[in-house]
Amino acid sequence: MEIIYVYTRKRSEFGRPCSFSDRPAKVNVDIPPDPSMASDFILRNPVDSYVQHTSDMSEHEVNTERVEVESRGVNHVEGGWPKDINPQEVEQTIRFRKKVEKDEHYVNTITHLGTLMEHCVKQNNAINIYEEYFGEEEVAEVEDEPPSAKTINVISKLTSFFNVLLSKRDPNITKRTATHLSWHPDTCKKLAVAYSSLEFQQNTKDMSFDSYIWDLENPNKPELVLKPSSPLVSLEYNPKDSHVLVGGCYNGQMAYWDTRKGGLPVEVSAVEVSHRDPVYGAIWLQSKTGTECFSASTDGQVLWWDIRKLSEPTETLVLDVTRKGLLENALGAVTLEFEPTMPTKFMVGTEQGIVIACNRKAKTPPEKITSTYSGHHGPVYALARNPFYPKIFLTVGDWTARIWSEETKESSIMWTKYHLSYLTDGCWSTVRPAVFFTTRSDGTLDVWDFLFKQNDPSLSLKVCDEPLSSLRLQDNGCVVGCGSKLGTVTLLEISSGLCTLQRNEKTLATAMFERETKREKILEARHRELRLKERARSEAQETEVEEKPVESPHEVLNRARREFFEVIEVELQRRAQAETQGHGSASVFQVKDRAGEEAAAQGEESQLLKDKEEEEEEKDAA
Amino acid sequence: AEVEETLKRIQAHKGVIATIVVNAEGIPIRTTLDNSTTVQYAGLLHQLTMKARSTVRDIDPQNELTFLRIRSKKHEIMVAPDKEYLLIVIQNPCE
């Protein structure tokens, strides 16, 4: 047996015990006041100090968690039957019913209720209490209210949505631009938005490729997520079949979806035959099968596809303005425009600022390009035909928006002033021929009504702080959706004054367009004459003298001034003549319409006066 | 019986689509519609009638609900309540 000795000692008992002793106070440092330092200080008088007799408060923020609401249905089962009866058994229920019917109380009640009910039924049959007694009166709309628009919905992707579903992802979801919007053709309650990042090579690894279809009733969660292989730059619903959408991808492929089949594309075009650059424009064509579409991209090609066979395009066109069909000379296409009423013609807006009108049915490829319109300094971001006047179209690019007529190829017939920020997208109103919308890169939406004001937009709304990238009007003309650079889609409802057709609007708009077209034509003709003259003169002079005498700048200036004043005088004389005549002859100027309107206004006034006189006469007679 | 006659008469009026008799527990006793629709109408209108009755009583305790009419875009539902039974008629008011 071993004997083990264990020694234990408390840790606090280690070391020598402390021995405390008292010591008298000892002065260590004594610093006497130094009066010489007083000059470094200033006496502060008065001194502000505050006193408050309240209790201390602290501030806290509380935000309730968003409640996810889901609609579900419940199926009711027949209830209320007494315990001994099984509702599924027909015999038992019939027996029960017969028993009830034999009850005397039942008979009395039903007879009584029956008479009451008959009274009401007969009442209903006799007279319709909701009848319109005064027929539809012509509501004389004198819209004095200023045009306005209000936001009805803002759809933005919440990061919480991503956190819930895909918790592996990086919580900072890189924001992508909403590049294209397309409304559902029938219901207009659904909106398909294509999201992609158009910055060159800015795609980070975690940026999702998805685009969404939103249902307006539920702005928090998209109704369907479309998953292409590369982000979508443009997306369009098929106007004939509202379940089918076609999308153009960032890598140049085309893909089409069927919403009944889910989020993956049904078919994607082969990479070798697709575009080489992002597909900026994709539009459905009017065809019997309803499956044809065409696309344009900055690689200079326009390709036609049949979505049943996306392995190769059915037709191609190279946008070479010199009509040689060379890809090197081709202009990059940024927008595409197609009007279903003119199925063989379409227009392309290019990066170089030129709009090309093309004819699909031309025999040879060079002839496909019918005409070009140049006028913008930068890429033409939007191109739209006026739904009421197919010859008039709107282009939006650089800092202006321009209105063109197909006949005048030299320049636009009307244009806005140069804004401070880029114009990014534009479209015509579907109900009013004189109204169009534009979006700017400072986040403003402008509504232009050029029968009301030509120099400025009639309504300018700041939608958000980031640039707006796309715009789309719903078919009813009242709701417009704008997509921004950070992916937020805002829906605005326009005031009724801007989306109901005014009385003379069509005639006034027609008159205005014709007038401007005429003016441009005259200017074109004059330019042509001048050019011909110059050419003739230079040819004639070349045979005589080698060098043309160069006019000194002074002489040029004097000549220009003289000609200018001559032209003005002639115009003034002509105007005076037109005014005295009272109705316009074939004059191009605004005098025509103004004089016409004045005459109409005077006519109305005299009519009113006459009515008043008649009333007074009647009163006197009575 | 008399009940048969009354109900047949009501059903024969112009515009009447259906007639349902429901008891206090919500069990349809007599109906001219199919079972599932009847059950739906019975359950929902029963609750609505209870609510309407209690509303009328709350506002004025001496008052009583005699008749309930619900006019909708497509047709009019008329409910004649009693302590124990409910008579429901769905009519299409002619316009």
Side-chain angles (χ1 to χ4, degrees), chain A residues 92-105:
Chain A
Q92 292 186 355
T93 53
I94 290 182
R95 220 187 311 149
F96 178 79
R97 286 195 172 112
K98 285 222 175 82
K99 195 172 48 156
V100 173
E101 284 179 359
K102 294 221 174 62
D103 186 16
E104 202 188 298
H105 180 55

Side-chain angles (χ1 to χ4, degrees), chain A residues 97 118 123-125 130, chain B residues 9 28-29 69 71 82 91:
Chain A
R97 286 195 172 112
E118 264 201 271
Q123 223 178 40
N124 262 350
N125 284 336
Y130 292 110
Chain B
R9 217 180 32 230
I29 308 291
R69 269 197 198 194
R71 199 173 249 247
D82 184 74
Q91 188 192 18

Side-chain angles (χ1 to χ4, degrees), chain B residues 45-59:
Chain B
L45 286 170
H46 193 254
Q47 289 179 26
L48 186 62
T49 319
M50 290 297 127
K51 193 72 176 179
R53 187 181 285 158
S54 65
T55 310
V56 171
R57 280 282 181 79
D58 281 346
I59 295 174

Side-chain angles (χ1 to χ4, degrees), chain A residues 101-146:
Chain A
E101 284 179 359
K102 294 221 174 62
D103 186 16
E104 202 188 298
H105 180 55
Y106 171 81
V107 176
N108 291 342
T109 321
I110 295 298
T111 351
H112 166 65
L113 293 178
T115 41
L116 195 60
M117 183 63 78
E118 264 201 271
H119 171 72
C120 290
V121 169
K122 283 189 194 155
Q123 223 178 40
N124 262 350
N125 284 336
I127 183 170
N128 175 13
I129 62 176
Y130 292 110
E131 188 182 320
E132 289 273 335
Y133 289 109
F134 301 103
E136 297 286 344
E137 282 180 341
E138 273 282 329
V139 188
E141 290 276 350
V142 183
E143 288 283 350
D144 279 340
E145 55 174 68

Side-chain angles (χ1 to χ4, degrees), chain A residues 216-250:
Chain A
L216 295 191
E217 319 274 311
N218 190 0
N220 296 327
K221 213 168 101 158
E223 196 200 333
L224 184 59
V225 177
L226 302 173
K227 298 189 205 308
S229 50
S230 135
L232 285 180
V233 179
S234 58
L235 185 56
E236 279 287 332
Y237 264 106
N238 187 345
K240 291 230 176 95
D241 180 4
S242 50
H243 292 285
V244 178
L245 296 116
V246 72
C249 298
Y250 191 70

